[in-house]
Amino acid sequence: MSVEIKSVKSDKEIAACFSVMAQLRPHLIRDEFVSRVRSQMQEGYRMACALDAGEVAAVAGYRIQHGLSWGKYLYVDDLVTDADRRSRGIGKALLQWLVQEARQHNCNEFHLDSGTQRKDAHRFYEREGMDMLAYHFRLSL
């Protein structure tokens, strides 16, 4: 397996990530995807993808931020591997790239949230050395 991890920058690269990202975020609309990502990028959002045989096989959206609770940290908003390509090391390669990105930016910590229904993802994160530390609460407005 030859996986290439790269930062996603151009509109074409962003658009190429839609089909995989929509597996995690099914509410997304293809025609609005690039503009939504671009809007988030103005607020510090970044994207990376894993290419397998030249095709997007996994996607991550993340931010580098500062907070009173964690200091400087990398927060993963979105992390998904194409359902047909799971358990091949692609997600692991992308996660390792993200951790290295955090280290290169002198982050103190690396964080992500994962939906309670994503049990396979939780096992993956724990295998990769991550700890489950909190519950995430929301109030829809």
Side-chain angles (χ1 to χ4, degrees):
M1 175 187 72
S2 175
V3 175
E4 175 190 359
I5 311 293
K6 62 183 265 180
S7 292
V8 174
K9 306 248 187 224
S10 73
D11 287 357
K12 183 178 178 181
E13 291 170 332
I14 294 168
C17 293
F18 175 80
S19 294
V20 175
M21 184 68 81
Q23 292 177 37
L24 178 65
R25 310 282 183 224
H27 63 279
L28 293 173
I29 298 168
R30 185 179 298 274
D31 292 343
E32 298 173 358
F33 183 63
V34 172
S35 64
R36 285 188 69 171
V37 169
R38 283 282 178 220
S39 177
Q40 287 180 222
M41 284 178 160
Q42 291 176 358
E43 299 171 352
Y45 183 81
R46 304 170 190 203
M47 285 182 79
C49 71
L51 300 173
D52 180 27
E55 295 182 358
V56 174
V59 179
Y62 64 99
R63 303 165 193 274
I64 295 173
Q65 299 180 312
H66 293 85
L68 295 175
S69 57
W70 303 324
K72 187 174 184 184
Y73 63 97
L74 187 148
Y75 179 80
V76 179
D77 292 72
D78 316 288
L79 179 58
V80 59
T81 301
D82 179 69
D84 294 334
R85 290 184 163 110
R86 291 189 183 142
S87 298
R88 296 185 192 174
I90 297 168
K92 180 177 183 162
L94 184 53
L95 183 66
Q96 289 174 342
W97 185 93
L98 290 164
V99 169
Q100 185 58 35
E101 180 84 345
R103 288 186 174 121
Q104 287 177 347
H105 285 88
N106 299 310
C107 293
N108 300 316
E109 297 193 10
F110 180 93
H111 288 263
L112 62 79
D113 287 334
S114 181
T116 56
Q117 78 283 6
R118 300 190 71 225
K119 304 291 186 201
D120 290 340
H122 303 163
R123 283 190 292 277
F124 167 70
Y125 299 138
E126 288 173 344
R127 271 195 317 270
E128 295 306 310
M130 298 186 76
D131 298 316
M132 188 182 305
L133 299 177
Y135 291 100
H136 178 93
F137 295 90
R138 82 165 179 198
L139 176 65
S140 293
L141 304 176

